[in-house]
mmCIF file of all heavy atoms in Angstrom:
data_model
loop_
_atom_site.group_PDB
_atom_site.id
_atom_site.type_symbol
_atom_site.label_atom_id
_atom_site.label_comp_id
_atom_site.label_asym_id
_atom_site.label_seq_id
_atom_site.Cartn_x
_atom_site.Cartn_y
_atom_site.Cartn_z
ATOM 1 N N PRO A 24 -32.125 -5.377 -11.934
ATOM 2 C CA PRO A 24 -31.315 -5.084 -10.744
ATOM 3 C C PRO A 24 -30.358 -6.221 -10.396
ATOM 4 O O PRO A 24 -29.226 -5.980 -9.958
ATOM 5 C CB PRO A 24 -32.359 -4.879 -9.645
ATOM 6 C CG PRO A 24 -33.582 -4.448 -10.374
ATOM 7 C CD PRO A 24 -33.563 -5.238 -11.654
ATOM 8 N N PHE A 25 -30.806 -7.443 -10.603
ATOM 9 C CA PHE A 25 -29.946 -8.596 -10.335
ATOM 10 C C PHE A 25 -28.770 -8.615 -11.300
ATOM 11 O O PHE A 25 -27.617 -8.814 -10.901
ATOM 12 C CB PHE A 25 -30.755 -9.891 -10.462
ATOM 13 C CG PHE A 25 -29.932 -11.137 -10.276
ATOM 14 C CD1 PHE A 25 -29.622 -11.600 -9.020
ATOM 15 C CD2 PHE A 25 -29.451 -11.832 -11.388
ATOM 16 C CE1 PHE A 25 -28.849 -12.744 -8.846
ATOM 17 C CE2 PHE A 25 -28.677 -12.970 -11.227
ATOM 18 C CZ PHE A 25 -28.368 -13.428 -9.943
ATOM 19 N N ILE A 26 -29.042 -8.405 -12.575
ATOM 20 C CA ILE A 26 -27.982 -8.371 -13.584
ATOM 21 C C ILE A 26 -26.972 -7.277 -13.255
ATOM 22 O O ILE A 26 -25.753 -7.493 -13.321
ATOM 23 C CB ILE A 26 -28.569 -8.131 -14.986
ATOM 24 C CG1 ILE A 26 -29.496 -9.276 -15.385
ATOM 25 C CG2 ILE A 26 -27.462 -7.955 -16.025
ATOM 26 C CD1 ILE A 26 -30.350 -8.977 -16.587
ATOM 27 N N ASN A 27 -27.476 -6.124 -12.880
ATOM 28 C CA ASN A 27 -26.604 -5.002 -12.559
ATOM 29 C C ASN A 27 -25.675 -5.351 -11.404
ATOM 30 O O ASN A 27 -24.483 -5.022 -11.424
ATOM 31 C CB ASN A 27 -27.444 -3.773 -12.224
ATOM 32 C CG ASN A 27 -26.652 -2.491 -12.261
ATOM 33 O OD1 ASN A 27 -25.642 -2.389 -12.959
ATOM 34 N ND2 ASN A 27 -27.091 -1.504 -11.510
ATOM 35 N N ALA A 28 -26.210 -6.019 -10.394
ATOM 36 C CA ALA A 28 -25.392 -6.402 -9.238
ATOM 37 C C ALA A 28 -24.279 -7.370 -9.640
ATOM 38 O O ALA A 28 -23.134 -7.237 -9.201
ATOM 39 C CB ALA A 28 -26.273 -7.036 -8.164
ATOM 40 N N ILE A 29 -24.587 -8.334 -10.499
ATOM 41 C CA ILE A 29 -23.575 -9.291 -10.959
ATOM 42 C C ILE A 29 -22.514 -8.590 -11.791
ATOM 43 O O ILE A 29 -21.308 -8.821 -11.630
ATOM 44 C CB ILE A 29 -24.230 -10.426 -11.776
ATOM 45 C CG1 ILE A 29 -25.183 -11.250 -10.895
ATOM 46 C CG2 ILE A 29 -23.155 -11.326 -12.386
ATOM 47 C CD1 ILE A 29 -24.518 -11.991 -9.760
ATOM 48 N N LEU A 30 -22.948 -7.703 -12.678
ATOM 49 C CA LEU A 30 -21.989 -6.980 -13.511
ATOM 50 C C LEU A 30 -21.077 -6.095 -12.656
ATOM 51 O O LEU A 30 -19.877 -5.987 -12.926
ATOM 52 C CB LEU A 30 -22.715 -6.126 -14.551
ATOM 53 C CG LEU A 30 -23.416 -6.887 -15.679
ATOM 54 C CD1 LEU A 30 -24.093 -5.911 -16.632
ATOM 55 C CD2 LEU A 30 -22.448 -7.783 -16.438
ATOM 56 N N LEU A 31 -21.631 -5.464 -11.631
ATOM 57 C CA LEU A 31 -20.810 -4.642 -10.747
ATOM 58 C C LEU A 31 -19.747 -5.493 -10.050
ATOM 59 O O LEU A 31 -18.607 -5.047 -9.874
ATOM 60 C CB LEU A 31 -21.692 -3.933 -9.712
ATOM 61 C CG LEU A 31 -22.501 -2.750 -10.237
ATOM 62 C CD1 LEU A 31 -23.511 -2.293 -9.196
ATOM 63 C CD2 LEU A 31 -21.570 -1.591 -10.605
ATOM 64 N N ALA A 32 -20.115 -6.695 -9.679
ATOM 65 C CA ALA A 32 -19.139 -7.589 -9.039
ATOM 66 C C ALA A 32 -18.039 -7.982 -10.018
ATOM 67 O O ALA A 32 -16.847 -7.991 -9.677
ATOM 68 C CB ALA A 32 -19.844 -8.833 -8.505
ATOM 69 N N ILE A 33 -18.420 -8.298 -11.253
ATOM 70 C CA ILE A 33 -17.443 -8.654 -12.279
ATOM 71 C C ILE A 33 -16.508 -7.475 -12.545
ATOM 72 O O ILE A 33 -15.279 -7.619 -12.617
ATOM 73 C CB ILE A 33 -18.150 -9.067 -13.584
ATOM 74 C CG1 ILE A 33 -18.902 -10.383 -13.394
ATOM 75 C CG2 ILE A 33 -17.133 -9.203 -14.721
ATOM 76 C CD1 ILE A 33 -19.742 -10.774 -14.592
ATOM 77 N N GLU A 34 -17.091 -6.302 -12.685
ATOM 78 C CA GLU A 34 -16.295 -5.107 -12.965
ATOM 79 C C GLU A 34 -15.369 -4.781 -11.804
ATOM 80 O O GLU A 34 -14.243 -4.295 -12.001
ATOM 81 C CB GLU A 34 -17.238 -3.934 -13.266
ATOM 82 C CG GLU A 34 -17.979 -4.100 -14.582
ATOM 83 C CD GLU A 34 -19.314 -3.375 -14.624
ATOM 84 O OE1 GLU A 34 -19.677 -2.732 -13.616
ATOM 85 O OE2 GLU A 34 -19.994 -3.467 -15.653
ATOM 86 N N GLY A 35 -15.828 -5.054 -10.586
ATOM 87 C CA GLY A 35 -14.971 -4.859 -9.428
ATOM 88 C C GLY A 35 -13.750 -5.759 -9.484
ATOM 89 O O GLY A 35 -12.631 -5.331 -9.162
ATOM 90 N N LEU A 36 -13.952 -6.990 -9.917
ATOM 91 C CA LEU A 36 -12.815 -7.903 -10.087
ATOM 92 C C LEU A 36 -11.848 -7.373 -11.130
ATOM 93 O O LEU A 36 -10.626 -7.410 -10.952
ATOM 94 C CB LEU A 36 -13.316 -9.293 -10.494
ATOM 95 C CG LEU A 36 -13.899 -10.172 -9.388
ATOM 96 C CD1 LEU A 36 -14.466 -11.448 -9.983
ATOM 97 C CD2 LEU A 36 -12.844 -10.502 -8.347
ATOM 98 N N TRP A 37 -12.383 -6.882 -12.255
ATOM 99 C CA TRP A 37 -11.523 -6.313 -13.305
ATOM 100 C C TRP A 37 -10.650 -5.202 -12.743
ATOM 101 O O TRP A 37 -9.432 -5.185 -12.939
ATOM 102 C CB TRP A 37 -12.378 -5.699 -14.413
ATOM 103 C CG TRP A 37 -13.089 -6.634 -15.319
ATOM 104 C CD1 TRP A 37 -13.082 -7.998 -15.285
ATOM 105 C CD2 TRP A 37 -13.934 -6.272 -16.410
ATOM 106 N NE1 TRP A 37 -13.875 -8.501 -16.269
ATOM 107 C CE2 TRP A 37 -14.414 -7.467 -16.980
ATOM 108 C CE3 TRP A 37 -14.344 -5.054 -16.938
ATOM 109 C CZ2 TRP A 37 -15.271 -7.488 -18.070
ATOM 110 C CZ3 TRP A 37 -15.196 -5.065 -18.026
ATOM 111 C CH2 TRP A 37 -15.655 -6.267 -18.589
ATOM 112 N N ILE A 38 -11.301 -4.277 -12.041
ATOM 113 C CA ILE A 38 -10.568 -3.114 -11.547
ATOM 114 C C ILE A 38 -9.533 -3.508 -10.506
ATOM 115 O O ILE A 38 -8.398 -3.022 -10.517
ATOM 116 C CB ILE A 38 -11.550 -2.070 -10.992
ATOM 117 C CG1 ILE A 38 -12.389 -1.499 -12.135
ATOM 118 C CG2 ILE A 38 -10.802 -0.954 -10.264
ATOM 119 C CD1 ILE A 38 -13.513 -0.597 -11.693
ATOM 120 N N MET A 39 -9.894 -4.397 -9.600
ATOM 121 C CA MET A 39 -8.949 -4.837 -8.574
ATOM 122 C C MET A 39 -7.737 -5.518 -9.209
ATOM 123 O O MET A 39 -6.597 -5.301 -8.801
ATOM 124 C CB MET A 39 -9.638 -5.784 -7.597
ATOM 125 C CG MET A 39 -10.711 -5.121 -6.758
ATOM 126 S SD MET A 39 -10.043 -3.890 -5.610
ATOM 127 C CE MET A 39 -9.424 -4.954 -4.319
ATOM 128 N N GLU A 40 -7.990 -6.334 -10.230
ATOM 129 C CA GLU A 40 -6.892 -6.992 -10.928
ATOM 130 C C GLU A 40 -6.029 -5.955 -11.645
ATOM 131 O O GLU A 40 -4.804 -6.036 -11.652
ATOM 132 C CB GLU A 40 -7.434 -7.999 -11.940
ATOM 133 C CG GLU A 40 -8.090 -9.222 -11.317
ATOM 134 C CD GLU A 40 -7.082 -10.264 -10.880
ATOM 135 O OE1 GLU A 40 -5.896 -10.154 -11.245
ATOM 136 O OE2 GLU A 40 -7.492 -11.212 -10.171
ATOM 137 N N SER A 41 -6.675 -4.980 -12.265
ATOM 138 C CA SER A 41 -5.934 -3.998 -13.042
ATOM 139 C C SER A 41 -5.037 -3.137 -12.164
ATOM 140 O O SER A 41 -3.991 -2.658 -12.609
ATOM 141 C CB SER A 41 -6.894 -3.094 -13.824
ATOM 142 O OG SER A 41 -7.541 -2.176 -12.974
ATOM 143 N N LEU A 42 -5.429 -2.944 -10.917
ATOM 144 C CA LEU A 42 -4.643 -2.135 -9.996
ATOM 145 C C LEU A 42 -3.676 -2.974 -9.169
ATOM 146 O O LEU A 42 -2.996 -2.458 -8.288
ATOM 147 C CB LEU A 42 -5.584 -1.350 -9.063
ATOM 148 C CG LEU A 42 -6.520 -0.352 -9.760
ATOM 149 C CD1 LEU A 42 -7.450 0.283 -8.752
ATOM 150 C CD2 LEU A 42 -5.707 0.705 -10.495
ATOM 151 N N SER A 43 -3.637 -4.264 -9.464
ATOM 152 C CA SER A 43 -2.729 -5.193 -8.773
ATOM 153 C C SER A 43 -2.973 -5.232 -7.269
ATOM 154 O O SER A 43 -2.051 -5.435 -6.475
ATOM 155 C CB SER A 43 -1.265 -4.807 -9.043
ATOM 156 O OG SER A 43 -0.987 -4.867 -10.416
ATOM 157 N N ILE A 44 -4.223 -5.054 -6.864
ATOM 158 C CA ILE A 44 -4.553 -5.185 -5.448
ATOM 159 C C ILE A 44 -5.679 -6.201 -5.276
ATOM 160 O O ILE A 44 -6.448 -6.139 -4.315
ATOM 161 C CB ILE A 44 -4.958 -3.828 -4.836
ATOM 162 C CG1 ILE A 44 -6.083 -3.171 -5.631
ATOM 163 C CG2 ILE A 44 -3.771 -2.892 -4.748
ATOM 164 C CD1 ILE A 44 -6.590 -1.875 -5.001
ATOM 165 N N ALA A 45 -5.772 -7.118 -6.213
ATOM 166 C CA ALA A 45 -6.850 -8.093 -6.203
ATOM 167 C C ALA A 45 -6.577 -9.212 -5.216
ATOM 168 O O ALA A 45 -5.488 -9.350 -4.665
ATOM 169 C CB ALA A 45 -7.044 -8.668 -7.601
ATOM 170 N N THR A 46 -7.599 -10.013 -5.013
ATOM 171 C CA THR A 46 -7.457 -11.209 -4.208
ATOM 172 C C THR A 46 -6.565 -12.205 -4.942
ATOM 173 O O THR A 46 -6.295 -12.061 -6.126
ATOM 174 C CB THR A 46 -8.834 -11.853 -3.985
ATOM 175 O OG1 THR A 46 -9.453 -12.082 -5.263
ATOM 176 C CG2 THR A 46 -9.730 -10.936 -3.171
ATOM 177 N N ASP A 47 -6.114 -13.242 -4.217
ATOM 178 C CA ASP A 47 -5.270 -14.231 -4.874
ATOM 179 C C ASP A 47 -6.138 -15.189 -5.689
ATOM 180 O O ASP A 47 -7.365 -15.080 -5.712
ATOM 181 C CB ASP A 47 -4.403 -14.973 -3.856
ATOM 182 C CG ASP A 47 -5.226 -15.752 -2.827
ATOM 183 O OD1 ASP A 47 -6.368 -16.166 -3.138
ATOM 184 O OD2 ASP A 47 -4.722 -15.943 -1.706
ATOM 185 N N ALA A 48 -5.479 -16.127 -6.371
ATOM 186 C CA ALA A 48 -6.193 -17.005 -7.303
ATOM 187 C C ALA A 48 -7.277 -17.819 -6.597
ATOM 188 O O ALA A 48 -8.383 -17.989 -7.131
ATOM 189 C CB ALA A 48 -5.204 -17.930 -7.995
#
């Protein structure tokens, strides 16, 4: 469950970056 939570956070960053609505650097 811990691994899954970390991966979901990483994947969220990927998607936000891909849609150009991500946080700044």
Side-chain angles (χ1 to χ4, degrees):
F25 177 82
I26 297 167
N27 196 26
I29 296 296
L30 290 180
L31 285 170
I33 292 174
E34 291 153 0
L36 282 174
W37 287 0
I38 293 172
M39 293 294 281
E40 291 279 348
S41 74
L42 298 176
S43 299
I44 54 176
T46 55
D47 62 27

